[in-house]
Each structure stands twice: as structure tokens, then as C-alpha cells.
Amino acid sequence: MVKKVTRQYEMLMRGDQFGAKHPELFPPGSLGASSLADLGGIVKEVTFHEVGRRGAEGEGVNERFESRKALIRTLKKVRQTSQLLAIADPPVGDSFPKGNRRLADRALLQMARSYARDAAPLADRFIGHGMPATFMADLQAEIDAFAGALDRKQQGRSSAGEAKSQIRSAIGRGLLAVKQLDAFLANTLEHDDPRLEAWKRDRRIGPSARSRKADPGASADAGTSTGTPTTPKAPTSSVVPHKEEQAA
């Protein structure tokens, strides 16, 4: 989540926790109890969508990297062998062009399919130059694996976008619940009641005053601090930064 949404979410969690600490302020059947119940449900909803968003953003990322790397290795072998065939049959070399260093995924996929199409009638000659007897089937399997990884990555992005939309919607409803609680507590508590002051601190968007007091050195822009709930971490795929290999 972006910083603004994260801070709004953390404020909603503090408000939910305030209600758990002071149940005496929210008698059953009151507007306050209803608003607090709504707030608790919204916090759970946002948590659920945030976990899903993080998981979706990692969908297919490692798989795409590994399948791309394997496909490029095979395409390089096909091209190198085609250059040997081209010594006796020059037009063969033109069917297997060299790819750019950072060929885009979809362009690489298109080139790989072109390689497979043009290599099929020459399979025996490729095999005669040392390519495995199964190289055509292996190449097609690697093309299919790469295409599938790209599709899953795109699906993950779409799912992450939907989760973000659900989070924004839930946050909006949560802010409304907090405003209702503002009015309820202002009407039921004396202005000097320490519980009202505690509510005002906890419902502040950003690090709570209580947290800043506990950690005087914390920056006013810090997203979290001691005593402030943090955005839950979702289990994600282990994504390792990497450089793209040269295509074919």
C-alpha cells in the first residue's frame, strides 16, 4: 500500500483496538457498538485484500525469469547450429536472426515461435550437428512454459489491481465508521475524559501521539513506531533481482 493508505489503515486498526480496550463505552444496540463492529470487519477486510495483493504481485515473476533464461539458452544453441548449416546452405542463417540484448518478453516469445517453425523442416540436419533428438519437443515445451509464465504474471497484475480497488473502497467505509465514532464518543463522554483524549490520539492519521511519546526520536513521517500496528506481511515468492540475459 502507498504511504497515505497505509497510515489510514493503521489508524483504523488503532480505532478497532481502542474499542477492544474500552468495551464499556459501546453498549450493545448503540450506534457506537454498530460503528465499532463495522470498523472491526473493515480492518479484517483490508488485511485480507492486502495479503492477496502482495501475493498476486509476485505471481509468475520467478517462473517467468527461469523460463526465459532456459528458452534463451536453447535459442542460442539453435542459432549457433543454424550458422553451421548456413555454410553449405546460406539461406538457413537468415531464418534464425540474432535477438537484441534486452528483447521484450513478448518479442522473445514471437522469435522463439519463429525459430520453432523454421527449424521443424530442418530437424534432421540440426540433430546431425549434435542437437538432441528431442530438441524440437524441448523447444516447444520451453516456449509453452514461458508463455504460461507471462500469462500468469499478467493475471497476477490484474488481481493485484482489483485488490487495490477493494482496499480503497474498504478504507473509505472505515473512515466513515471512524467519523461516526467521533460523534458518538463526543456525545457520550465529557470533554476532559482521558478516554476521549486517547481516542483522539488513536484516530489521528499518521503515527499516534502515544507512539511518538514512547519514541521521541521517531520522525513525524515515520509510517510505524512502537505501539503502532503495522501492515501485515503477506507470504510472497522469493524474487531475486537479476539482469536480463541476451536473447539468442
Side-chain angles (χ1 to χ4, degrees):
M1 290 187 285
V2 297
K3 183 179 291 187
K4 178 181 178 181
V5 176
T6 297
R7 288 185 169 180
Q8 289 173 334
Y9 173 44
E10 291 173 345
M11 181 274 286
L12 298 183
M13 287 196 293
R14 290 195 299 270
D16 184 41
Q17 292 173 351
F18 176 90
K21 292 177 183 176
H22 301 286
E24 75 282 359
L25 299 179
F26 308 96
S30 67
L31 176 61
S34 176
S35 298
L36 186 62
D38 289 344
L39 180 59
I42 289 167
V43 167
K44 291 178 181 178
E45 182 181 343
V46 175
T47 301
F48 173 81
H49 289 305
E50 174 64 4
V51 169
R53 180 194 68 81
R54 294 190 181 193
E57 286 185 342
E59 185 71 27
V61 174
N62 275 355
E63 184 183 359
R64 169 259 178 198
F65 172 55
E66 294 299 333
S67 59
R68 177 186 170 97
K69 186 167 61 174
L71 180 59
I72 288 175
R73 281 197 299 263
T74 298
L75 294 181
K76 284 183 177 180
K77 291 179 182 179
V78 172
R79 173 173 165 74
Q80 289 168 357
T81 305
S82 75
Q83 299 310 297
L84 297 177
L85 298 179
I87 294 174
D89 187 1
V92 171
D94 297 335
S95 298
F96 304 93
K98 184 177 182 180
N100 296 326
R101 184 175 182 274
R102 292 186 178 278
L103 201 61
D105 287 339
R106 294 295 175 182
L108 175 61
L109 186 60
Q110 182 178 358
M111 187 176 77
R113 287 169 172 161
S114 175
Y115 269 39
R117 182 188 65 244
D118 293 336
L122 305 171
D124 290 343
R125 295 171 66 182
F126 274 93
I127 294 171
H129 280 74
M131 294 290 286
T134 60
F135 93 93
M136 284 300 303
D138 294 342
L139 174 57
Q140 188 58 53
E142 290 175 348
I143 289 173
D144 292 343
F146 185 50
L150 294 183
D151 288 343
R152 282 184 285 278
K153 183 180 178 183
Q154 183 58 46
Q155 291 168 2
R157 286 180 174 177
S158 297
S159 297
E162 177 61 24
K164 289 178 181 179
S165 178
Q166 295 291 342
I167 288 172
R168 287 193 294 269
S169 174
I171 290 289
R173 287 184 279 114
L175 295 177
L176 177 58
V178 168
K179 288 183 179 180
Q180 292 172 335
L181 288 169
D182 282 339
F184 177 80
L185 291 173
N187 289 333
T188 57
L189 294 177
E190 297 295 335
H191 73 278
D192 58 350
D193 191 311
R195 293 172 298 178
L196 182 58
E197 292 304 312
W199 166 256
K200 290 180 179 180
R201 288 195 302 268
D202 286 345
R203 65 94 58 226
R204 177 182 180 276
I205 295 177
S208 68
R210 184 181 304 168
S211 299
R212 297 197 310 275
K213 184 176 180 180
D215 183 7
S219 168
D221 292 329
T224 60
S225 58
T226 303
T228 303
T230 58
T231 305
K233 295 183 179 179
T236 60
S237 301
S238 176
V239 180
V240 181
H242 58 80
K243 293 183 179 179
E244 299 287 6
E245 291 195 14
Q246 181 173 338

